[in-house]
Amino acid sequence: MTPTKETTVGIGGAAESTDMVLNIGPQHPSTHGVLRLRLVLDGERIQHAEPVIGYMHRGAEKLFEARDYRQIIMLANRHDWLSAFSNELGVVLAVERMLGMEVPARAVWMRTLLAELNRVLNHLMFLGSYPLELGGITPVFYAFREREELQAVMEEISGGRMHFMFNRVGGLKEDLPAGWTSRARATVADVRTRMDVYDNLVLGNEIFRGRTRDVGRMSPETVHAYGVSGPIARASGVDFDLRRDEPYLAYGELGDVLKVATRQEGDCLARFEVLLEQTHNSLDLADACLDRLAQLPPGPVNQRLPKVLKAPEGHTYAWTENPLGINGYYLVSKGDKTPYRLKLRSASYNNIQALVELLPGTLVADMVAILGSLFFVVGDIDK
């Protein structure tokens, strides 16, 4: 008997199982800049997701090899443009470790203070922009008001609004201006009084909670598999923070103030809550640093360096808890005035890869909520 075949026709254009490939980006309002997401859809549900990166690649790691140890600070400053001071810090810590250099105590506490103020600046941007992506326009206006106050404080000491260039190998560019600590303390207090905007206006909004609760859950296994770090990892119950677990700068003396925020849910809401709680704690840490600086006697804030700075032959790895996660710098020196190799491990690069796990099975409508909750900067991915 001849085998027969069945064919179904007349179902309105396409079968339900037909896959559609959708490109989000590289120029799209939902992609935080020049990022492309290649999605395979089954109806409204995402079957497969592939982040396509590299559109902003500037070759910073190769340029490190053609710049001396003073000049590379400028290059490292820029990959995460919301965390410029913290980016500088990782480079100078790596070079100082190679040189076996001790930094003056006053510079150590100033660096800690400025790193936490930079952390608040970074987090405020996401605390305001994330609700905006979900349709809430008001919080971003508040966020920029607070950011402007902190920017003014940072600009007063460094002259820069985004790229501070205040770190130097051996310390900082210069001491704080007269009266700056009082103005910084007043600004921190002012920002703290307004943080209820995010506690109440955002977290208390039932639409925001409905769009983020139980959406984009990330398991601890995924965190470890992809090297996810920072607030995103801690929102999934991975309790790891370099400031506490491998202290650098003055964090070892701030254990009674430093509180590491964690959640177990691992969803978009948990990630926002961790970011908000961490912002509150950074303001507390800034106050503690200002208190300690008031007790320190006047003194140098940097080391005197030779005209030509050369690191001894060898290699080292320095890592810091940047606002978006772990930043690592692997420095290899041949004894020259330029690095032989300087490899940058950026937080956003690892964090964004987790989209491969988070997006499949979710609705297209939830894609923006998940993408925004990863709190990344595209320059930090492409370097």
Side-chain angles (χ1 to χ4, degrees), residues 8-13:
T8 304
V9 295
I11 56 174

Side-chain angles (χ1 to χ4, degrees), residues 41-109:
L41 307 179
D42 181 3
E44 287 292 311
R45 201 163 292 277
I46 298 171
Q47 298 292 90
H48 176 74
E50 177 191 0
V52 183
I53 66 173
Y55 293 95
M56 284 192 67
H57 180 60
R58 291 160 289 176
E61 291 179 337
K62 197 64 183 172
L63 290 172
F64 286 147
E65 301 169 15
R67 305 290 190 277
D68 66 34
Y69 287 105
R70 294 178 175 89
Q71 294 169 329
I72 61 174
I73 299 173
M74 179 275 295
L75 288 171
N77 176 289
R78 284 159 165 73
H79 59 88
D80 174 2
W81 46 76
L82 295 179
S83 310
F85 185 87
S86 301
N87 299 339
E88 302 168 14
L89 191 58
V91 171
V92 297
L93 288 176
V95 179
E96 287 163 4
R97 184 173 296 179
M98 287 287 285
L99 293 168
M101 183 178 289
E102 196 75 26
V103 177
R106 186 169 178 80
V108 171
W109 282 96

Side-chain angles (χ1 to χ4, degrees), residues 22 51 97 108 132 135 209 232 236 240 263 272 293 350 368 372:
L22 178 66
R97 184 173 296 179
V108 171
L132 179 65
R209 299 184 75 87
I232 303 169
S236 295
F240 181 70
R263 294 291 187 278
F272 186 86
L293 279 170
N350 286 72
V368 176

Side-chain angles (χ1 to χ4, degrees), residues 39 76 145 155 189 241 245 286 306 310 321 337 339 342 380:
L39 307 179
R145 180 185 62 185
E155 186 178 6
D241 190 314
D245 300 324
K310 295 183 178 181
E321 188 69 42
K337 65 178 182 179
L342 182 53
D380 203 38

